Amino acid sequence: MLEQDAIATATVHVDKPVAEDVIKPRRITDETLSLQASLHCDWQTATSNTVDDLETLAALLQLDALELRKQVETNEFQLRVPLPFVSRMRKADLRDPLLLQVLPLKLELLDVPGNHHDALDEKTYNVRPGLVHKYKARVLLTAAVSCPVNCRYCFRRHFPYDENRLTPSRWQPALDYIRHDSSIKEVILSGGEPLMLNDRTLTRLLDEIESIEHIKHIRIHSRYPIVVPQRLTPELCKRLIQARCNIALVLHCNHPNEIDKHVKHHLTALVNSRVTLLNQSVLLKGINNDVDTLSTLSESLYDAGVIPYYLHATDPVVGTAHFQVDDALAQDLALELSYRLPGYLVPTLVREVHGKQAKTRLPLAPASD
Ligand code: SF4
């Protein structure tokens, strides 16, 4: 079922396989966007051409579909990736760091002690449908419950989105809660993906939040400008720049290959505006757990006008064990980064610890003699 005010994602149109174990090369039909065209169409079209089957992905990336299927086990958190993001993956490379972020590997089925479905204990702080109030002075609003991409390491992959589905008609309890607590200074729009809301609905939501006098800051957590850069429409950028509140747009980018000229181009309207552009990354084994990749990521972000903000230690979430990096290596990497880069390009290494009043900063590893 599609939400009226959010756009939908859909599969790329392909013929269905004849049988599960007989996989033939797919012919992308005429209705389908090419990778190149997906970079220049509008964001709704780019989003609705999301790939959600292995055969199409294999065809687009010149991979052997049978080989791909041997490593993959689909589950309820299905494959979902839009074409502009696929366009930045290397062809014929099963180890591509962007591909590995979206591929539902059999490794997700590993049963690892200590991993939880709700590792961050967000249900405890779910004070109203769609509203999490965990830390002082700030609340998190799940403005939309789906994403244009399913990141395999997502710590919210088991979040009860259905209970937290906020359509405009259901905003009121959350807004009333914020209005009645003047200690709240910041509203964080998260998800899912808040930019799944179209510009009109997002503007209405921003208007509602800005009508609450004690709200000073609005933060938007979004992976959209990375996976579908044209989501930063001129109308959206204008609304953000003209906001009454301070606006921070916190992107989510994990690897330098995610930043290309299209991402940079669409960020241009916000660079040098009063919107603060930050990035948070997740430290992921096999994707970015080496100092060369992390330092190149920081440099690439800075080239695009974005300041690296957080590097998240991986949360112990069921299905993500194969991405987890142990703390000692994470701290070594952070120390090495601090040697290589100016301080403003070194993201703070953090993790969420149950019951703490803020994110916990992991100390840099002590330098060895
Ligand atoms: S975009 Fe963010 S919320 Fe959505 S799947 Fe990826 S990490 Fe999770």
Side-chain angles (χ1 to χ4, degrees):
M1 180 70 83
L2 307 183
E3 276 191 80
Q4 193 180 5
D5 290 284
I7 63 151
T9 55
T11 53
V12 170
H13 302 290
V14 292
D15 301 331
K16 293 288 174 214
V18 178
E20 278 299 301
D21 54 346
V22 182
I23 300 167
K24 296 182 174 173
R26 299 281 100 187
R27 182 178 60 82
I28 310 286
T29 66
D30 291 344
E31 310 142 67
T32 308
L33 280 177
S34 69
L35 287 179
Q36 197 55 31
S38 76
L39 302 173
H40 304 287
C41 63
D42 61 69
W43 69 274
Q44 291 95 335
T45 306
T47 304
S48 64
N49 281 273
T50 295
V51 180
D52 69 359
D53 72 282
L54 282 181
E55 290 70 34
T56 305
L57 191 62
L60 289 168
L61 293 176
Q62 298 164 16
L63 289 165
D64 179 336
L66 278 175
E67 194 52 43
L68 194 59
R69 189 167 282 285
K70 275 186 207 160
Q71 303 194 30
V72 166
E73 183 78 43
T74 49
N75 53 47
E76 74 285 352
F77 190 55
Q78 67 179 49
L79 169 69
R80 175 179 288 175
V81 56
L83 293 176
F85 195 69
V86 176
S87 76
R88 281 167 254 155
M89 296 176 185
R90 291 189 293 255
K91 300 281 189 298
D93 183 359
L94 256 174
R95 309 311 301 166
D96 176 79
L98 277 57
L99 174 64
L100 290 177
Q101 292 181 54
V102 300
L103 205 55
L105 295 175
K106 287 183 174 162
L107 291 168
E108 291 184 15
L109 303 177
L110 286 175
D111 186 12
V112 177
N115 281 357
H116 309 280
H117 283 89
D118 180 15
L120 306 187
D121 193 24
E122 289 192 312
K123 275 192 198 171
T124 304
Y125 303 97
N126 206 177
V127 290
R128 294 287 183 279
L131 193 69
V132 175
H133 192 181
K134 187 170 182 181
Y135 300 141
K136 281 183 185 158
R138 51 205 186 272
V139 288
L140 185 142
L141 194 68
T142 50
V145 295
S146 55
C147 296
V149 60
N150 279 347
C151 312
R152 308 316 303 175
Y153 51 84
C154 180
F155 70 85
R156 291 213 178 99
R157 56 185 288 168
H158 308 289
F159 189 72
Y161 281 121
D162 278 344
E163 298 161 28
N164 284 280
R165 188 179 293 274
L166 273 194
T167 54
S169 60
R170 295 182 64 191
W171 287 345
Q172 214 49 52
L175 291 168
D176 287 345
Y177 180 94
I178 299 168
R179 202 179 299 277
H180 288 119
D181 184 346
S182 61
S183 72
I184 299 169
K185 304 294 179 211
E186 180 178 36
V187 176
I188 302 166
L189 300 185
S190 188
E193 168 57 75
L195 298 190
M196 286 296 277
L197 299 181
N198 62 35
D199 288 350
R200 182 177 51 85
T201 307
L202 195 59
T203 294
R204 275 176 61 197
L205 182 56
L206 291 171
D207 290 347
E208 291 277 3
I209 295 168
E210 291 198 315
S211 74
I212 304 173
E213 213 174 311
H214 53 266
I215 298 302
K216 304 286 178 225
H217 316 291
I218 298 175
R219 200 188 324 170
I220 301 173
H221 285 176
S222 180
R223 190 147 166 71
Y224 234 125
I226 299 297
V227 296
V228 181
Q230 57 266 54
R231 175 64 193 95
L232 292 177
T233 60
E235 296 73 27
L236 175 60
C237 292
K238 189 173 168 202
R239 177 63 184 84
L240 297 179
I241 290 167
Q242 291 178 347
R244 172 185 71 77
C245 292
N246 299 313
I247 302 280
L249 178 59
V250 184
L251 306 180
H252 173 180
C253 177
N254 299 315
H255 191 281
N257 293 2
E258 292 173 42
I259 303 170
D260 67 358
K261 63 180 183 185
H262 299 283
V263 173
K264 285 186 186 170
H265 169 73
H266 287 280
L267 282 169
T268 309
L270 296 177
V271 174
N272 299 325
S273 79
R274 59 183 290 270
V275 174
T276 304
L277 292 176
L278 303 170
N279 182 66
Q280 52 184 345
S281 306
V282 183
L283 185 59
L284 299 166
K285 190 192 283 183
I287 310 291
N288 61 9
N289 62 327
D290 65 274
V291 72
D292 288 339
T293 302
L294 289 173
S295 58
T296 307
L297 173 59
S298 281
E299 297 278 11
S300 301
L301 286 165
Y302 195 46
D303 283 345
V306 182
I307 297 291
Y309 168 45
Y310 277 151
L311 177 61
H312 290 267
T314 339
D315 300 303
V317 176
V318 170
T320 68
H322 56 297
F323 287 120
Q324 291 167 17
V325 176
D326 73 43
D327 281 359
L329 175 58
Q331 290 168 274
D332 277 343
L333 287 170
L335 180 69
E336 191 60 36
L337 264 189
S338 73
Y339 293 155
R340 285 208 193 176
L341 296 170
Y344 55 87
L345 292 188
V346 180
T348 306
L349 180 64
V350 292
R351 86 144 18 97
E352 291 214 32
V353 178
H354 176 49
K356 295 276 183 177
Q357 289 292 303
K359 286 192 172 50
T360 301
R361 289 163 195 252
L362 272 63
L364 302 184
S368 49
D369 296 327

